[in-house]
């Protein structure tokens, strides 16, 4: 069994654990072996406390031996983007700024995950402070797309997507501010979901743009994604933006919500700027739903063209303030060159932040600065109202909206590295979902000629994750994209 | 030319709560450095703020006492600036939608003498908003050491209109403000502990001119007398500058109480660009009428209102009210005693003279006094009923203060009850008359004073327990018989 | 379209980041392009539109004033680059 263990889904592993066919410790050992075999190529991990994972796995096995089981994820390893606080573990955000930072506390999502018995597994690479769409902005290393190591895995949660695609973890957690879960999931051929803003507590998620950030799952199947979402969703009194809402049993709902659904196709997301192979795959997916009896209707999201601009104003403005705390004083990198207290800021931040982070802090500081606030930030907040309204209006007419997740499959490393604007346009189909706060999922819906995965994005009504998962599940049941794995040997 | 100063104050008052403004870490003063923190206080990556409901209750109460309009909806903003005492390098504050708007504070200026009430006036308020405090820097030789214990403490910023014209008025403003905050249980307002801090905006203009002069912000006015001295110093400086042909420059200056002078901190060119924007981590506060009604019901009477009631209902003199009113506990003690005995003047005198003297001699506060309002009420009744004399009452008071025992008990046990037994007293009076023929002669010769000597002798013989009125009466009767 | 320019020295000073001359030039150019792209917003009429600060607005999200024990001082200072007398050391702040 050991040679195939690493590509078993969390659901399958859960059954194996239940039947006694495998122990949690064996699963962790198999993943240790797998990462040793492929990490040189993939480079998804920033660090991994194997001893801690093994200890937690043994605790799970002992629980199970006593007849206790905390839930379907008890004993299952879950990779963690290095942006979520895990007590006693490094929390670097792939930044030199936090290179030596060890978190003294658990994020709420991590606390909940631990409570289910799941095993936090490694710290995953990302764009520095989640700023990027390729994971090339990590200060540590570049992660490869497991389908073609010459290509980027997407970002910012590139490590989270790549490790699941490469069989280094059955599940992982990432964060999505403008597409940072859905976009790498699409490019790596896995399932990635951004829940509704407020469904998963942000406490312990290092803030990039507070009004847009959400934690969400990566998995190889929709069912697995549902299990991981279940573990982390729910109200938290440490996050004032956390919503009080009934959390359904997502896995059970997968089979109970059967449609047929009314699905909207926004014309603004097709045509010019979309790679023909991507358009073809997504159109095929739409035809599948039609063949399943779903009603396919056109919807309009007229303010789509403003979304990227609005997104970059709001996200960088919030980031410029959120990242002010990394200053060389209390816990971050401190420059040894500082002449005085003020110089300490300038030098520590110059040394600690990479170019993309600096660029965004400068932009965000600018749009908030005296004389520009109304023209940029306030205007963007008003435009956000219109973008949000587009989606809420559309969602009154349809159950979900189908779009490509990305305009194109994964691009080559270095291709857009020095063209921030082109890089920003990778988020064109995903960032509106963050502005509107609605949930979105990306599932594999095909491959390009060159063998790179293509993602279908399904956007849904606020707090209707169950419906979204069921719609995605229906597609997955009828296709085998999720069973294909990259050849890494 | 004559000049007039125009002064507005920005006062920061720490709100008394158990936990911090946006997290559950304990709030407190005087603890070992960095022992009142948690991930939120330290601005650790990933942490988020959650409002402390009590802090909001408290600022609304403060606003209601100061006659502010309470905004139906207020929100939170981030004020961005870098400083080592600021854990996030932004302060959560309120920018364009503060919780309290407008309002006014009644102040009393010094009267012509301590015994005469001074002029009262109203200073208008612009706004009051809620924010979080920062940590504290301790400066040593080459370094500064940061203690984050104070960081995150709820802080109220009370901004006045430019309604004041002298250090004296600013002093009166702070005194009145502090009384209200303390009496309302909002803050202890201990300036030594940094619970009340004051900055002033000061400008001068020729008398009679309407427009405002160039303003200077004066910081670090960290004692109430420092406020008076610092402001007066700055007013003089500005007038001198203008009179010597110069111009006042818009800048921020720092008052140094020890040196008795202010130094330049920053010029207008170095002014901050705070980049305020709505804090995405916090939701707005909506205040409805029920909430306001519930808080209104908990408000104490304002000190000046109480004083006016003492004038009107109790006919107390200014000097006594100015002792009772500034201290809510003392005033409530007074009112409780009056409720029991109905003698406000007597009670007020006992408190203002005897009780305060004993408390200060014992170095204790009224809350630690064994003597309670009922004791004073009982004592006043005993004197009123003629059961003891005023002199005996003083003795009883000391005994009550020391032991906390009831006055009746003390009088009984020590046998201090005044004698009104006319038969017994007549015998003693006759004895005294017999023993002092000289005084009897004098009395008969028309010297009314002579009777006082005889009265004294009777009191001495009875160890002060004789009712002086009855003694007086008997003596006159007996002496008249001799005539 | 005229390229928007950022007063990079002013903004970098506000952001407390020391930039090299090369960085200043590169960022100015790149951010100018981004701002040009954002210019598109000027064609959008937002008069009468309320700004959105939160995706799903809530009100009165608070907690009771009940303290919980915080960090022991060692935990609070564990990641600090320099500590003396249980306080964080910074170069002397003059103001
Ligand atoms: Mg102020
Ligand atoms: Zn303030």
């Amino acid at each position: 069994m050991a040679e195939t263990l690493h590509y078993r889904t969390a659901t399958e592993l859960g059954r194996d654990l239940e039947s006694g066919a495998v122990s949690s410790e064996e699963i962790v050992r198999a993943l240790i072996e797998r990462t040793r075999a492929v990490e040189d190529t993939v480079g998804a991990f920033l660090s991994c406390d194997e001893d801690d994972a093994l200890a937690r796995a043994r605790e799970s096995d002992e629980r199970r031996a006593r007849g206790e089981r905390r839930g379907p994820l008890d004993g299952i390893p879950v990779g963690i983007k290095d942006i979520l606080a895990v007590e006693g573990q490094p929390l670097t955000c792939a930044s030199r700024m936090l290179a030596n930072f060890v978190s003294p506390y658990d994020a709420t999502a991590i606390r909940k995950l631990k409570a289910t018995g799941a095993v936090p597994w490694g710290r995953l690479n990302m764009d520095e402070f989640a700023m990027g769409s390729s994971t090339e902005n990590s200060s540590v290393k570049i992660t490869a797309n497991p389908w073609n190591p010459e290509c980027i895995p997407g970002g910012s949660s590139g490590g989270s997507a790549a490790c699941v695609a490469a069989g280094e973890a059955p599940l992982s957690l990432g964060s999505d501010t403008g597409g940072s879960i859905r976009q790498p999931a699409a490019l790596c051929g896995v399932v990635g979901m951004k829940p509704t803003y407020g469904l998963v507590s942000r406490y312990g998620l290092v803030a990039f743009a507070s009004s847009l950030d959400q934690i969400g799952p990566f998995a190889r199947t929709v069912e697995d994604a549902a299990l991981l979402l279940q573990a982390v969703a729910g109200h938290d009194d440490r996050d004032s933006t956390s919503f009080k809402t009934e959390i359904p049993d997502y896995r059970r709902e997968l089979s109970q919500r059967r449609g047929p659904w009314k699905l909207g196709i926004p014309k603004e997301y097709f045509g010019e700027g979309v790679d023909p192979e991507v358009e073809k795959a997504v159109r095929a997916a739409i035809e599948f739903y039609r063949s399943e009896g779903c009603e396919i209707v056109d919807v309009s999201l007229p303010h789509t063209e403003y979304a990227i601009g609005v997104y970059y104003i709001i996200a960088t403005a919030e980031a410029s303030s959120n990242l002010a705390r990394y200053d060389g004083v209390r816990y971050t990198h401190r420059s040894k060159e500082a002449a005085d207290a003020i110089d300490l800021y300038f030098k520590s931040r110059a040394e600690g932040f990479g170019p993309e982070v600096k660029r965004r802090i400068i932009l965000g500081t600018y749009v908030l600065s005296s004389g520009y606030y109304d023209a940029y930030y306030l205007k963007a907040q008003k435009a956000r109202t219109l973008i949000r309204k587009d989606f809420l209006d559309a969602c009154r007419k349809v159950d979900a909206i189908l779009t490509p997740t990305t305009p194109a499959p994964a691009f080559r490393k270095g291709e857009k590295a020095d063209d921030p604007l082109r890089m920003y346009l990778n988020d064109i189909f995903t960032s509106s979902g963050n502005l509107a706060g609605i949930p979105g999922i990306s599932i594999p819906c095909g491959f390009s000629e060159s063998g790179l995965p293509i993602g279908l994005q399904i956007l849904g009504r606020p707090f209707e994750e169950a419906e979204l998962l069921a719609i995605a599940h229906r597609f997955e049941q009828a296709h085998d994209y999720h069973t294909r794995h990259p050849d890494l040997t | 030319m004559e000049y007039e100063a125009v002064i507005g104050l920005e006062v920061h008052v720490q709100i008394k709560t158990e936990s911090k403004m946006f997290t559950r870490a304990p709030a407190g003063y005087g603890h070992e450095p960095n022992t009142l923190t948690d991930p939120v206080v330290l601005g650790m990556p990933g942490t988020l703020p959650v409002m402390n409901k009590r802090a909001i209750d408290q600022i609304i109460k403060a606003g209601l006492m100061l006659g502010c309009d309470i905004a139906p909806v207020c929100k939170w903003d981030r004020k961005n600036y870098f400083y080592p005492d600021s854990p996030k390098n932004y302060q959560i504050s309120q920018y364009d939608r503060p919780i309290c708007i407008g309002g006014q504070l009644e102040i009393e200026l010094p009267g012509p003498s301590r015994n005469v009430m001074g002029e009262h006036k109203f200073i208008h308020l612009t706004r009051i908003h809620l924010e979080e405090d920062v940590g504290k820097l301790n400066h040593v030789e080459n370094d500064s050491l940061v203690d984050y214990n104070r960081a995150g403490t709820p802080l109220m910023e009370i901004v006045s209109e430019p309604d004041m014209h002298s250090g004296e008025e600013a002093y009166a403003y702070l005194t009145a403000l502090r009384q209200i905050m303390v009496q309302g249980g909002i803050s202890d307002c201990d300036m030594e502990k940094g619970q009340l801090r004051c900055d002033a905006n000061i400008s001068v203009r020729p008398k009679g001119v309407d427009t405002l002069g160039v303003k200077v912000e004066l910081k670090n006015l960290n004692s109430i007398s420092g406020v008076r001295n610092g402001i007066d110093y700055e007013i003089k400086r500005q007038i001198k500058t203008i009179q010597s042909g110069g111009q006042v420059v818009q800048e921020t200056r720092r008052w140094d109480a020890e040196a008795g002078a202010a130094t330049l901190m920053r010029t207008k060119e170095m002014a901050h660009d705070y980049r305020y924007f709505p804090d995405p981590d916090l939701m707005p506060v909506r205040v409805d009428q029920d909430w306001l009604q519930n808080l209104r019901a908990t408000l104490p009477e304002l000190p000046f209102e109480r004083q006016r009631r003492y004038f009107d209902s109790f006919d107390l003199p200014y000097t006594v009210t100015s002792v009772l009113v500034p201290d809510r506990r003392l005033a409530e003690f007074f009112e409780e005693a009056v409720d029991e005995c109905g003698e406000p003047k007597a009670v007020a005198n006992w408190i203002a003279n005897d009780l305060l003297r004993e408390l200060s001699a014992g170095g204790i506060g009224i809350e630690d006094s064994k003597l309670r309002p009922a004791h004073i009420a009982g004592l006043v009744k005993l004197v009123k009923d003629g059961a003891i004399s005023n002199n005996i009452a003083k003795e009883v008071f000391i005994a009550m203060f020391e032991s906390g025992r009831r006055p009746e008990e003390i009088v009984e046990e020590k046998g201090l009850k005044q004698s009104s037994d006319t038969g017994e007293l007549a015998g003693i009076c006759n004895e005294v008359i017999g023993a002092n023929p000289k005084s009897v002669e004098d009395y008969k010769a028309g010297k009314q004073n002579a009777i006082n000597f005889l009265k004294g002798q009777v009191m001495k013989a009875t160890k002060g327990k004789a009712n002086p009125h009855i003694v007086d009466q008997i003596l006159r009767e007996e002496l008249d018989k001799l005539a | 379209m005229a390229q928007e320019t950022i007063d990079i020295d002013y903004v970098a000073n506000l952001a407390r980041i020391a930039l090299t001359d090369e960085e200043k030039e590169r960022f100015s150019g790149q951010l100018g392009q981004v701002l040009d792209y954002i210019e598109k917003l000027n064609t959008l009429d937002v008069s009468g539109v309320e700004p959105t600060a939160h995706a799903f607005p809530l009100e009165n999200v608070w907690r009771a004033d009940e303290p919980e024990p915080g960090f022991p001082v060692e935990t609070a200072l564990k990641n600090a680059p320099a500590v003396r007398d249980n306080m964080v050391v910074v170069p002397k702040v003059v103001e």
Side-chain angles (χ1 to χ4, degrees):
Chain A
M1 174 165 267
E3 59 271 31
T4 56
L5 203 57
H6 56 261
Y7 269 127
R8 289 181 77 72
T9 66
T11 304
E12 289 163 352
L13 290 172
R15 279 199 290 269
D16 296 343
L17 285 165
E18 203 66 352
S19 70
V22 74
S23 70
S24 176
E25 187 176 350
E26 285 173 294
I27 295 172
V28 171
R29 288 198 186 282
L31 293 182
I32 291 174
E33 212 174 292
R34 174 66 176 175
T35 51
R36 290 204 176 134
V38 303
E39 258 303 90
D40 278 352
T41 311
V42 180
F45 287 78
L46 289 174
S47 64
C48 187
D49 187 341
E50 294 177 356
D51 292 339
D52 176 71
L54 284 167
R56 288 180 190 277
R58 280 191 290 267
E59 276 172 39
S60 171
D61 289 334
E62 282 158 24
R63 266 198 302 276
R64 205 174 291 272
R66 286 197 303 271
E68 292 169 35
R69 177 176 163 274
R70 290 191 181 164
L73 293 185
D74 199 341
I76 309 278
V78 178
I80 312 291
K81 185 178 182 180
D82 204 6
I83 196 170
L84 286 160
V86 181
E87 191 181 338
Q89 295 293 330
L91 174 58
T92 73
C93 296
S95 179
R96 271 188 294 279
M97 196 51 116
L98 291 169
N100 298 310
F101 185 77
V102 175
S103 175
Y105 76 104
D106 271 334
T108 297
I110 297 298
R111 188 172 48 74
K112 286 182 166 224
L113 194 65
K114 285 178 175 174
T116 68
V119 177
W121 168 238
R123 311 289 305 167
L124 299 165
N125 199 18
M126 54 187 279
D127 285 300
E128 183 179 3
F129 286 108
M131 295 180 181
S133 307
S134 66
T135 312
E136 291 168 295
N137 296 331
S138 166
S139 75
V140 184
K141 59 174 165 187
I142 295 176
T143 297
N145 189 313
W147 293 91
N148 179 351
E150 295 303 308
C151 290
I152 56 96
S156 66
S157 310
S160 300
C163 81
V164 170
E168 296 175 283
L171 297 168
S172 67
L173 284 175
S175 65
D176 188 316
T177 305
S180 284
I181 291 174
R182 290 159 290 160
Q183 187 255 21
L187 302 190
C188 290
V190 296
V191 177
M193 184 177 210
K194 180 202 95 77
T196 311
Y197 185 84
L199 185 76
V200 181
S201 167
R202 292 184 298 116
Y203 187 76
L205 165 66
V206 179
F208 160 15
S210 314
S211 75
L212 305 166
D213 298 340
Q214 262 293 287
I215 295 169
F218 285 92
R220 287 190 293 268
T221 66
V222 173
E223 185 176 14
D224 277 12
L227 288 180
L228 185 50
L229 181 63
Q230 194 83 50
V232 296
H235 179 256
D236 177 21
D237 60 15
R238 287 182 190 278
D239 175 359
S240 306
T241 62
S242 158
F243 225 75
K244 280 185 179 138
T245 180
E246 193 80 34
I247 307 294
D249 183 331
Y250 293 120
R251 177 157 65 172
R252 205 182 51 209
E253 297 291 314
L254 286 182
S255 51
Q256 296 195 342
R257 296 179 184 246
R258 316 189 61 87
W261 296 285
K262 191 168 174 185
L263 302 173
I265 313 299
K267 61 173 186 303
E268 295 85 356
Y269 283 63
F270 293 85
E272 199 197 341
V274 180
D275 180 286
E277 287 186 292
V278 169
E279 173 140 7
K280 195 172 149 222
V282 173
R283 294 265 180 221
I286 294 167
E287 287 317 307
F288 163 77
Y289 282 108
R290 198 194 304 274
S291 71
E292 287 285 293
C294 295
E295 186 185 345
I296 307 293
V297 301
D298 287 334
V299 292
S300 180
L301 302 168
H303 297 95
T304 298
E305 61 172 315
Y306 304 107
I308 286 281
V310 170
Y311 171 77
Y312 274 92
I313 291 170
I314 290 174
T316 58
E318 292 181 5
S320 72
S321 174
N322 283 331
L323 272 67
R325 68 189 65 193
Y326 310 115
D327 61 357
V329 175
R330 290 163 312 286
Y331 50 75
T332 50
H333 166 77
R334 176 180 287 194
S335 172
K336 293 183 175 55
E337 313 297 321
D340 56 47
I342 305 301
D343 200 34
L344 182 74
Y345 293 139
F346 283 98
K347 295 230 168 73
S348 300
R349 287 163 68 78
E351 294 167 15
F353 290 138
E356 181 60 23
V357 173
K358 287 178 190 169
R359 210 157 25 226
R360 294 200 196 189
I361 291 175
I362 296 288
L363 181 59
T365 304
Y366 173 73
V367 299
L368 288 176
S369 67
S370 175
Y372 295 99
Y373 180 87
D374 287 2
Y376 289 113
Y377 191 75
L378 187 62
K379 179 122 198 208
Q381 280 199 320
K382 290 178 177 176
R384 184 177 182 181
T385 304
L386 299 175
I387 291 166
R388 189 165 162 261
K389 192 171 169 296
D390 282 354
F391 278 95
L392 298 183
D393 286 349
C395 284
R396 265 189 283 278
K397 290 181 213 132
V398 295
D399 297 306
I401 293 166
L402 305 183
T403 81
T405 309
T406 62
F411 52 88
R412 291 190 167 262
K413 291 174 180 168
E415 198 181 304
K416 300 182 186 179
D418 220 34
D419 190 347
L421 183 58
R422 261 181 78 209
M423 189 70 100
Y424 295 174
L425 295 174
N426 283 307
D427 296 337
I428 196 146
F429 298 149
T430 44
S431 54
S432 305
N434 300 76
L435 291 169
I438 58 169
I441 190 168
S442 179
I443 55 170
C445 72
F447 285 86
S448 70
E449 289 278 308
S450 58
L452 287 168
I454 293 169
L456 168 72
Q457 176 174 237
I458 313 171
L459 297 166
R461 295 197 188 103
F463 303 105
E464 287 288 351
E465 279 75 7
E467 198 77 38
L468 213 53
L469 288 162
I471 296 170
H473 186 62
R474 174 71 62 85
F475 182 87
E476 189 183 85
Q477 291 295 291
H479 297 82
D480 69 349
Y481 303 118
H482 65 288
T483 63
R484 299 192 205 168
H485 304 306
D487 181 13
L488 281 161
T489 47
Chain B
M1 198 189 300
E2 255 203 275
Y3 287 90
E4 175 192 51
V6 180
I7 303 156
L9 295 184
E10 276 181 27
V11 179
H12 283 93
V13 174
Q14 271 189 3
I15 296 177
K16 207 159 59 168
T17 51
E18 298 290 317
S19 61
K20 303 219 181 193
M21 182 64 233
F22 293 113
T23 182
R24 289 188 188 268
Y29 178 85
H31 295 258
E32 289 298 309
N34 291 308
T35 53
L36 302 178
T37 75
D38 68 3
V40 182
V41 172
L42 294 169
M44 290 273 176
T47 54
L48 296 171
V50 180
M51 293 185 268
N52 180 341
K53 165 77 159 39
R54 183 171 161 78
I56 302 166
D57 283 341
Q58 294 281 70
I59 192 173
I60 295 175
K61 281 169 71 173
L64 290 173
M65 286 189 286
L66 294 170
C68 304
D69 288 329
I70 308 301
V73 180
C74 67
K75 68 172 179 65
W76 299 99
D77 300 283
R78 292 186 184 178
K79 179 180 181 179
N80 295 284
Y81 66 96
F82 284 80
Y83 211 68
D85 60 10
S86 169
K88 303 182 295 294
N89 289 319
Y90 63 80
Q91 181 190 30
I92 304 175
S93 182
Q94 299 188 303
Y95 181 52
D96 56 347
R97 307 276 300 268
I99 189 158
C100 305
I101 302 150
Q104 71 278 320
L105 175 64
E106 183 176 4
I107 66 169
E108 179 184 344
L109 298 172
S113 87
R114 277 194 54 183
N115 301 337
V116 182
M117 188 162 83
E119 184 199 342
H120 279 226
K121 56 188 281 196
F122 284 90
I123 305 299
H124 294 91
L125 305 183
T126 313
R127 57 184 281 168
I128 311 177
H129 68 252
L130 191 50
E131 56 191 27
E132 52 178 350
D133 209 343
V134 293
K136 221 172 146 49
L137 291 173
N138 299 284
H139 302 292
V140 292
E141 314 81 67
N142 298 316
D143 301 317
S144 295
L145 307 179
V146 202
D147 172 10
Y148 294 99
N149 279 352
R150 197 178 71 176
T153 304
L155 196 62
M156 219 171 11
E157 184 175 325
I158 304 166
V159 183
S160 87
E161 291 286 293
D163 266 3
M164 285 162 275
H165 303 287
S166 65
E168 199 66 72
E169 287 190 2
Y171 179 90
Y173 175 91
L174 283 188
T175 306
L177 186 65
R178 184 159 73 169
Q179 270 183 30
I180 289 178
M181 292 302 139
V182 172
Q183 297 207 6
I186 311 297
S187 172
D188 292 335
C189 287
D190 188 333
M191 285 188 95
E192 302 249 297
K193 296 181 182 170
Q195 292 166 344
L196 188 154
R197 310 195 282 273
C198 179
D199 303 331
N201 288 309
I202 305 163
S203 63
V204 300
R205 62 186 173 196
K207 256 216 165 101
V209 168
D210 275 348
T211 50
L212 289 171
V214 174
K215 74 172 180 191
V216 167
E217 189 178 10
L218 189 60
K219 287 194 172 284
N220 198 38
L221 300 167
N222 286 340
S223 71
I224 288 203
S225 61
V227 169
R228 183 163 45 187
N229 299 337
I231 289 173
D232 285 340
Y233 174 94
E234 176 59 24
I235 294 171
K236 279 200 203 104
R237 188 190 70 86
Q238 290 187 17
I239 293 175
K240 231 167 93 189
T241 303
I242 296 169
Q243 281 175 337
S244 60
Q247 275 186 331
V248 176
V249 180
Q250 187 177 335
E251 60 194 15
T252 302
R253 301 175 71 85
R254 180 190 171 86
W255 174 246
D256 181 343
E258 246 161 70
T263 49
L264 178 66
M265 268 175 84
R266 60 175 168 264
T267 58
K268 191 188 175 189
E269 290 70 51
M270 293 149 72
H272 295 289
D273 180 347
Y274 289 122
R275 289 158 285 136
Y276 281 101
F277 75 104
D279 192 327
D281 289 329
L282 287 162
M283 295 297 179
V285 178
R286 181 179 294 276
V287 185
D288 63 20
Q289 286 306 315
D290 281 356
W291 186 3
L292 284 184
Q293 219 36 61
N294 289 337
L295 289 177
R296 232 178 235 122
T298 68
L299 297 179
E301 189 177 24
L302 291 177
F304 286 131
E305 283 168 10
R306 194 190 290 270
Q307 187 177 38
R308 281 188 279 270
R309 182 163 58 84
Y310 287 4
F311 292 150
D312 297 347
S313 317
F314 300 147
D315 197 24
L316 293 183
Y318 171 73
T319 41
V320 176
T321 60
S322 54
V323 171
L324 295 179
V325 165
D327 187 333
R328 182 178 169 187
R329 290 162 310 180
L330 211 56
E332 283 173 354
F333 189 102
F334 162 75
E335 289 183 32
E336 210 178 314
V338 173
D339 279 349
E340 262 185 64
C341 70
E343 293 287 328
K345 282 195 171 159
V347 170
N349 284 328
W350 280 113
I351 293 174
N353 300 319
D354 303 73
L355 180 57
L356 286 183
R357 183 193 61 233
E358 292 308 317
L359 286 174
S360 94
I364 58 168
I366 189 151
E367 66 280 9
D368 297 318
S369 167
K370 287 183 200 160
L371 184 139
R372 304 312 310 158
H375 291 98
I376 289 186
L379 189 66
V380 168
K381 272 193 224 158
L382 287 174
V383 174
K384 185 182 170 194
D385 296 347
I388 55 172
S389 68
N390 255 318
N391 277 337
I392 293 288
K394 299 259 176 204
E395 194 183 328
V396 174
F397 182 90
I398 302 292
M400 294 194 302
F401 184 83
E402 278 164 5
S403 66
R405 291 168 65 207
R406 289 170 41 243
E408 298 79 5
E409 224 178 300
I410 293 165
V411 168
E412 187 67 31
E413 185 186 292
K414 297 199 175 172
L416 296 174
K417 193 152 191 161
Q418 189 159 254
S419 174
S420 302
D421 180 335
T422 41
E424 191 194 330
L425 286 178
I428 296 167
C429 284
N430 280 321
E431 268 171 43
V432 167
I433 286 168
N436 294 283
K438 175 79 173 64
S439 299
V440 176
E441 281 302 302
D442 287 350
Y443 178 79
K444 283 200 227 162
K447 286 189 185 171
Q448 287 290 316
N449 272 351
I451 201 164
N452 286 342
F453 176 77
L454 294 170
K455 218 158 106 186
Q457 295 301 305
V458 175
M459 294 310 284
K460 203 166 159 188
T462 58
K463 294 189 174 116
K465 286 182 288 180
N467 184 323
H469 297 291
I470 294 172
V471 172
D472 191 82
Q473 206 181 335
I474 295 171
L475 280 173
R476 281 177 202 280
E477 277 169 21
E478 294 301 316
L479 287 167
D480 290 348
K481 276 186 209 163
L482 293 175
Chain C
M1 191 185 294
Q3 184 167 305
E4 282 290 316
T5 50
I6 286 184
D7 180 347
I8 194 100
D9 288 313
Y10 177 76
V11 177
N13 179 57
L14 279 182
R16 298 287 187 271
I17 301 177
L19 297 179
T20 62
D21 289 342
E22 188 273 323
E23 279 175 319
K24 284 180 195 170
E25 209 187 300
R26 187 156 44 95
F27 291 175
S28 297
Q30 291 168 334
L31 293 176
Q33 278 176 32
V34 173
L35 289 172
D36 283 345
Y37 178 83
I38 290 172
E39 280 278 287
K40 199 184 281 187
L41 260 186
N42 289 339
T43 63
L44 180 64
D45 181 11
V46 293
S47 48
V49 179
E50 283 295 309
T52 293
H54 299 98
F56 297 101
L58 299 166
E59 281 170 352
N60 297 355
V61 182
W62 52 46
R63 60 173 174 87
D65 180 30
E66 287 154 4
E68 268 173 14
F71 274 159
V73 63
E74 307 76 50
T75 312
L77 300 175
K78 198 160 194 163
N79 287 289
V83 171
R84 191 188 311 154
D85 301 335
N86 282 336
M87 287 180 275
V88 176
V89 186
V90 290
K92 188 152 187 159
V93 179
V94 261
E95 211 177 39

